[in-house]
Amino acid sequence: MVDIRGRDIISLAELSSEEIMHIIELAGKLKQRNYAQTFASQLQGKTLAMIFQKPSTRTRVSFEVAMKQLGGHAIHLSWNEIQLGRGETIADTANTLSRYVDAVMARLERHKDIIKLANHADIPVLNGLTDMYHPCQILADLLTIKERKGRLQDLKLAYVGDGNNIANSWINAAA
């Protein structure tokens, strides 16, 4: 049985193929309304802090809606609204959030900042985007490919674009 509860997801390199497939299978099931209702209270009493140094409509809405559908609550924290960079260190923020929320999703400019956040937090940290990786986007892409092709194994994929966080995450996923 695959269990990734309580773990950080900073890049897909940290997950085994089995763990990635588990996430994709569960996400596919949760898209089915009947199945999702079974989990409607799975995150009851849980709070996700969402730190946005780089705003994103899709990321904010998808995480907020997911938390609500699973019975939890999400808090949006704009980089400009919190004290990061203006007197409070990333370590201080990680320690503070660890006392009040159950997990953190962060979209940050620099990958080293999410590493610091994860290293100092006592709760799971999810990488919503950094300059090096974008694991949540690739997990969503993998789900779409599985839905369209019926499988993920033995497919040939081509990435056309810049060598960036998406390319790096695709390299992790393909491996």
Side-chain angles (χ1 to χ4, degrees):
M1 168 119 182
V2 174
D3 188 3
I4 59 170
R5 287 179 291 181
R7 288 187 35 206
D8 298 328
I9 299 179
I10 304 302
S11 80
L12 294 180
E14 300 159 353
L15 299 173
S16 69
S17 295
E18 182 182 28
E19 290 167 335
I20 290 172
M21 289 305 297
H22 174 73
I23 292 168
I24 301 305
E25 294 293 328
L26 182 58
K29 289 177 181 177
L30 288 172
K31 280 184 71 176
Q32 301 167 18
R33 185 159 300 278
N34 294 344
Y35 191 85
Q37 288 174 349
T38 304
F39 290 91
S41 62
Q42 187 72 28
L43 297 179
Q44 186 171 359
K46 303 292 183 186
T47 301
L48 173 70
M50 303 183 305
I51 299 173
F52 286 88
Q53 185 177 27
K54 293 185 76 163
S56 168
T57 302
R58 284 186 297 268
T59 302
R60 180 176 177 179
V61 170
S62 64
F63 273 91
E64 282 189 22
V65 169
M67 286 299 292
K68 181 157 181 61
Q69 288 177 342
L70 295 173
H73 178 72
I75 300 171
H76 175 265
L77 301 171
S78 168
W79 191 260
N80 297 328
E81 296 170 338
I82 58 179
Q83 296 303 309
L84 277 171
R86 293 189 316 264
E88 187 171 298
T89 66
I90 291 173
D92 289 340
T93 297
N95 289 328
T96 299
L97 290 175
S98 293
R99 291 185 196 106
Y100 293 102
V101 302
D102 301 286
V104 175
M105 183 284 300
R107 285 179 57 92
L108 304 176
E109 296 276 346
R110 297 183 309 250
H111 189 70
K112 68 180 184 176
D113 290 343
I114 202 158
I115 297 292
K116 283 183 198 173
L117 187 67
N119 286 341
H120 291 283
D122 296 328
I123 54 177
V125 173
L126 309 172
N127 181 355
L129 173 135
T130 66
D131 58 341
M132 288 296 297
Y133 298 104
H134 199 350
C136 294
Q137 177 64 55
I138 302 312
L139 289 169
D141 291 350
L142 289 169
L143 175 59
T144 300
I145 292 168
K146 185 162 191 311
E147 289 173 338
R148 300 283 193 263
K149 297 290 186 179
R151 69 187 198 289
L152 291 175
Q153 291 76 19
D154 302 319
L155 294 176
K156 292 182 182 181
L157 300 174
Y159 173 78
V160 178
D162 296 332
N164 58 14
N165 55 3
I166 297 290
N168 293 337
S169 292
W170 266 115
I171 289 167
N172 292 157

